[in-house]
PDB file of all heavy atoms in Angstrom:
ATOM      1  N   ARG E  26     -22.129  64.244  90.241  1.00 93.00           N
ATOM      2  CA  ARG E  26     -20.947  65.040  90.611  1.00 93.00           C
ATOM      3  C   ARG E  26     -19.648  64.262  90.382  1.00 93.00           C
ATOM      4  O   ARG E  26     -18.567  64.863  90.262  1.00 93.00           O
ATOM      5  CB  ARG E  26     -21.041  65.470  92.072  1.00 93.00           C
ATOM      6  CG  ARG E  26     -21.003  64.319  93.068  1.00 93.00           C
ATOM      7  CD  ARG E  26     -21.080  64.787  94.502  1.00 93.00           C
ATOM      8  NE  ARG E  26     -21.039  63.680  95.450  1.00 93.00           N
ATOM      9  CZ  ARG E  26     -22.095  62.994  95.840  1.00 93.00           C
ATOM     10  NH1 ARG E  26     -23.311  63.342  95.379  1.00 93.00           N
ATOM     11  NH2 ARG E  26     -21.985  61.990  96.692  1.00 93.00           N
ATOM     12  N   LEU E  61     -13.278  37.927  65.066  1.00 98.00           N
ATOM     13  CA  LEU E  61     -11.991  38.180  65.706  1.00 98.00           C
ATOM     14  C   LEU E  61     -11.978  37.513  67.071  1.00 98.00           C
ATOM     15  O   LEU E  61     -13.037  37.265  67.663  1.00 98.00           O
ATOM     16  CB  LEU E  61     -11.749  39.688  65.875  1.00 98.00           C
ATOM     17  CG  LEU E  61     -11.524  40.533  64.622  1.00 98.00           C
ATOM     18  CD1 LEU E  61     -11.466  42.024  65.003  1.00 98.00           C
ATOM     19  CD2 LEU E  61     -10.242  40.130  63.912  1.00 98.00           C
ATOM     20  N   ARG E  64      -9.620  40.290  73.772  1.00 93.00           N
ATOM     21  CA  ARG E  64     -10.207  40.605  75.068  1.00 93.00           C
ATOM     22  C   ARG E  64     -10.498  42.099  75.126  1.00 93.00           C
ATOM     23  O   ARG E  64      -9.806  42.900  74.507  1.00 93.00           O
ATOM     24  CB  ARG E  64      -9.279  40.178  76.201  1.00 93.00           C
ATOM     25  CG  ARG E  64      -9.221  38.655  76.329  1.00 93.00           C
ATOM     26  CD  ARG E  64      -8.160  38.217  77.284  1.00 93.00           C
ATOM     27  NE  ARG E  64      -8.232  36.778  77.522  1.00 93.00           N
ATOM     28  CZ  ARG E  64      -7.355  36.098  78.238  1.00 93.00           C
ATOM     29  NH1 ARG E  64      -6.327  36.732  78.799  1.00 93.00           N
ATOM     30  NH2 ARG E  64      -7.492  34.803  78.410  1.00 93.00           N
ATOM     31  N   ALA E  71     -25.464  54.768  79.990  1.00 98.00           N
ATOM     32  CA  ALA E  71     -26.862  54.641  79.581  1.00 98.00           C
ATOM     33  C   ALA E  71     -27.370  56.011  79.143  1.00 98.00           C
ATOM     34  O   ALA E  71     -27.204  57.008  79.856  1.00 98.00           O
ATOM     35  CB  ALA E  71     -27.714  54.103  80.726  1.00 98.00           C
ATOM     36  N   ARG E  73     -30.347  58.240  76.224  1.00 96.00           N
ATOM     37  CA  ARG E  73     -31.612  58.180  75.519  1.00 96.00           C
ATOM     38  C   ARG E  73     -31.619  59.232  74.417  1.00 96.00           C
ATOM     39  O   ARG E  73     -30.960  60.263  74.506  1.00 96.00           O
ATOM     40  CB  ARG E  73     -32.797  58.368  76.457  1.00 96.00           C
ATOM     41  CG  ARG E  73     -32.897  59.715  77.121  1.00 96.00           C
ATOM     42  CD  ARG E  73     -34.137  59.799  78.010  1.00 96.00           C
ATOM     43  NE  ARG E  73     -35.352  59.539  77.268  1.00 96.00           N
ATOM     44  CZ  ARG E  73     -36.141  58.463  77.457  1.00 96.00           C
ATOM     45  NH1 ARG E  73     -35.823  57.558  78.358  1.00 96.00           N
ATOM     46  NH2 ARG E  73     -37.233  58.302  76.733  1.00 96.00           N
ATOM     47  N   ARG E  75     -34.571  60.426  70.925  1.00 94.00           N
ATOM     48  CA  ARG E  75     -36.000  60.485  70.635  1.00 94.00           C
ATOM     49  C   ARG E  75     -36.620  59.101  70.472  1.00 94.00           C
ATOM     50  O   ARG E  75     -37.829  58.950  70.627  1.00 94.00           O
ATOM     51  CB  ARG E  75     -36.235  61.320  69.380  1.00 94.00           C
ATOM     52  CG  ARG E  75     -35.974  62.802  69.571  1.00 94.00           C
ATOM     53  CD  ARG E  75     -36.265  63.587  68.306  1.00 94.00           C
ATOM     54  NE  ARG E  75     -35.378  63.182  67.218  1.00 94.00           N
ATOM     55  CZ  ARG E  75     -35.457  63.651  65.978  1.00 94.00           C
ATOM     56  NH1 ARG E  75     -36.392  64.546  65.673  1.00 94.00           N
ATOM     57  NH2 ARG E  75     -34.608  63.244  65.062  1.00 94.00           N
ATOM     58  N   ALA E  90      -5.072  44.978  67.703  1.00 95.00           N
ATOM     59  CA  ALA E  90      -5.017  46.220  66.929  1.00 95.00           C
ATOM     60  C   ALA E  90      -6.113  46.286  65.871  1.00 95.00           C
ATOM     61  O   ALA E  90      -6.596  47.369  65.537  1.00 95.00           O
ATOM     62  CB  ALA E  90      -3.645  46.366  66.274  1.00 95.00           C
ATOM     63  N   THR E  98     -13.065  53.120  63.385  1.00 96.00           N
ATOM     64  CA  THR E  98     -13.398  53.539  62.028  1.00 96.00           C
ATOM     65  C   THR E  98     -14.842  53.254  61.667  1.00 96.00           C
ATOM     66  O   THR E  98     -15.539  54.091  61.088  1.00 96.00           O
ATOM     67  CB  THR E  98     -12.466  52.851  61.017  1.00 96.00           C
ATOM     68  OG1 THR E  98     -11.100  53.124  61.370  1.00 96.00           O
ATOM     69  CG2 THR E  98     -12.739  53.320  59.604  1.00 96.00           C
ATOM     70  N   GLY E 112      -8.790  35.613  84.381  1.00 70.00           N
ATOM     71  CA  GLY E 112      -8.855  34.249  84.865  1.00 70.00           C
ATOM     72  C   GLY E 112      -9.471  34.141  86.240  1.00 70.00           C
ATOM     73  O   GLY E 112      -9.863  35.136  86.847  1.00 70.00           O
ATOM     74  N   PRO E 115     -10.439  32.035  93.001  1.00 52.00           N
ATOM     75  CA  PRO E 115     -11.422  31.514  93.958  1.00 52.00           C
ATOM     76  C   PRO E 115     -11.205  32.033  95.371  1.00 52.00           C
ATOM     77  O   PRO E 115     -10.074  32.246  95.811  1.00 52.00           O
ATOM     78  CB  PRO E 115     -11.202  30.000  93.887  1.00 52.00           C
ATOM     79  CG  PRO E 115      -9.818  29.842  93.393  1.00 52.00           C
ATOM     80  CD  PRO E 115      -9.554  30.995  92.483  1.00 52.00           C
ATOM     81  N   ALA E 119     -15.263  29.594  98.962  1.00 49.00           N
ATOM     82  CA  ALA E 119     -16.191  29.406  97.846  1.00 49.00           C
ATOM     83  C   ALA E 119     -16.461  27.936  97.586  1.00 49.00           C
ATOM     84  O   ALA E 119     -15.564  27.104  97.617  1.00 49.00           O
ATOM     85  CB  ALA E 119     -15.628  30.054  96.588  1.00 49.00           C
ATOM     86  N   GLY E 138       2.757  52.615  78.977  1.00 51.00           N
ATOM     87  CA  GLY E 138       1.896  52.045  79.990  1.00 51.00           C
ATOM     88  C   GLY E 138       1.218  53.138  80.788  1.00 51.00           C
ATOM     89  O   GLY E 138       1.833  54.145  81.140  1.00 51.00           O
ATOM     90  N   PHE E 139      -0.060  52.980  81.072  1.00 50.00           N
ATOM     91  CA  PHE E 139      -0.854  53.998  81.759  1.00 50.00           C
ATOM     92  C   PHE E 139      -1.361  53.406  83.056  1.00 50.00           C
ATOM     93  O   PHE E 139      -2.131  52.476  83.037  1.00 50.00           O
ATOM     94  CB  PHE E 139      -2.017  54.429  80.864  1.00 50.00           C
ATOM     95  CG  PHE E 139      -2.912  55.479  81.485  1.00 50.00           C
ATOM     96  CD1 PHE E 139      -2.629  56.821  81.335  1.00 50.00           C
ATOM     97  CD2 PHE E 139      -4.032  55.109  82.207  1.00 50.00           C
ATOM     98  CE1 PHE E 139      -3.450  57.781  81.892  1.00 50.00           C
ATOM     99  CE2 PHE E 139      -4.867  56.063  82.763  1.00 50.00           C
ATOM    100  CZ  PHE E 139      -4.567  57.400  82.602  1.00 50.00           C
ATOM    101  N   LEU E 146     -14.011  42.305  89.758  1.00 85.00           N
ATOM    102  CA  LEU E 146     -14.278  41.033  90.439  1.00 85.00           C
ATOM    103  C   LEU E 146     -15.743  40.681  90.262  1.00 85.00           C
ATOM    104  O   LEU E 146     -16.619  41.481  90.612  1.00 85.00           O
ATOM    105  CB  LEU E 146     -13.955  41.146  91.927  1.00 85.00           C
ATOM    106  CG  LEU E 146     -14.248  39.900  92.776  1.00 85.00           C
ATOM    107  CD1 LEU E 146     -13.358  38.746  92.340  1.00 85.00           C
ATOM    108  CD2 LEU E 146     -14.024  40.206  94.247  1.00 85.00           C
ATOM    109  N   PRO E 154     -32.651  30.199  83.376  1.00 94.00           N
ATOM    110  CA  PRO E 154     -32.933  29.116  82.429  1.00 94.00           C
ATOM    111  C   PRO E 154     -32.776  29.557  80.972  1.00 94.00           C
ATOM    112  O   PRO E 154     -33.004  30.719  80.627  1.00 94.00           O
ATOM    113  CB  PRO E 154     -34.387  28.760  82.735  1.00 94.00           C
ATOM    114  CG  PRO E 154     -34.972  30.013  83.314  1.00 94.00           C
ATOM    115  CD  PRO E 154     -33.862  30.669  84.076  1.00 94.00           C
ATOM    116  N   GLU E 174     -25.172  54.860  64.749  1.00 97.00           N
ATOM    117  CA  GLU E 174     -25.977  53.927  65.532  1.00 97.00           C
ATOM    118  C   GLU E 174     -25.482  52.507  65.254  1.00 97.00           C
ATOM    119  O   GLU E 174     -25.431  52.071  64.105  1.00 97.00           O
ATOM    120  CB  GLU E 174     -27.455  54.039  65.172  1.00 97.00           C
ATOM    121  CG  GLU E 174     -28.336  53.116  65.998  1.00 97.00           C
ATOM    122  CD  GLU E 174     -29.815  53.279  65.677  1.00 97.00           C
ATOM    123  OE1 GLU E 174     -30.227  52.795  64.601  1.00 97.00           O
ATOM    124  OE2 GLU E 174     -30.532  53.902  66.475  1.00 97.00           O
ATOM    125  N   GLU E 193      -7.544  53.006  90.712  1.00 77.00           N
ATOM    126  CA  GLU E 193      -6.802  54.008  91.462  1.00 77.00           C
ATOM    127  C   GLU E 193      -7.298  55.408  91.137  1.00 77.00           C
ATOM    128  O   GLU E 193      -7.781  55.664  90.025  1.00 77.00           O
ATOM    129  CB  GLU E 193      -5.312  53.874  91.174  1.00 77.00           C
ATOM    130  CG  GLU E 193      -4.718  52.583  91.719  1.00 77.00           C
ATOM    131  CD  GLU E 193      -3.219  52.518  91.544  1.00 77.00           C
ATOM    132  OE1 GLU E 193      -2.625  53.545  91.158  1.00 77.00           O
ATOM    133  OE2 GLU E 193      -2.650  51.457  91.793  1.00 77.00           O
ATOM    134  N   GLY E 196      -7.590  57.842  87.518  1.00 82.00           N
ATOM    135  CA  GLY E 196      -7.670  57.051  86.299  1.00 82.00           C
ATOM    136  C   GLY E 196      -8.993  57.264  85.584  1.00 82.00           C
ATOM    137  O   GLY E 196      -9.910  57.907  86.099  1.00 82.00           O
ATOM    138  N   LEU E 207     -25.217  47.579  90.908  1.00 95.00           N
ATOM    139  CA  LEU E 207     -26.654  47.411  91.125  1.00 95.00           C
ATOM    140  C   LEU E 207     -27.126  46.055  90.607  1.00 95.00           C
ATOM    141  O   LEU E 207     -28.004  45.416  91.187  1.00 95.00           O
ATOM    142  CB  LEU E 207     -27.425  48.517  90.388  1.00 95.00           C
ATOM    143  CG  LEU E 207     -27.371  49.932  90.944  1.00 95.00           C
ATOM    144  CD1 LEU E 207     -28.153  50.861  90.026  1.00 95.00           C
ATOM    145  CD2 LEU E 207     -27.941  49.975  92.358  1.00 95.00           C
ATOM    146  N   MET E 217     -22.800  36.842  69.408  1.00 98.00           N
ATOM    147  CA  MET E 217     -23.174  38.238  69.283  1.00 98.00           C
ATOM    148  C   MET E 217     -22.870  38.739  67.877  1.00 98.00           C
ATOM    149  O   MET E 217     -21.868  38.369  67.272  1.00 98.00           O
ATOM    150  CB  MET E 217     -22.402  39.092  70.297  1.00 98.00           C
ATOM    151  CG  MET E 217     -22.733  40.583  70.218  1.00 98.00           C
ATOM    152  SD  MET E 217     -22.157  41.553  71.663  1.00 98.00           S
ATOM    153  CE  MET E 217     -20.386  41.379  71.483  1.00 98.00           C
TER     154      MET E 217
END
Side-chain angles (χ1 to χ4, degrees):
R26 65 179 180 274
L61 292 174
R64 289 171 173 174
R73 65 179 303 113
R75 290 182 297 176
T98 305
F139 180 88
L146 177 65
E174 182 177 75
E193 293 185 9
L207 287 178
M217 179 166 65

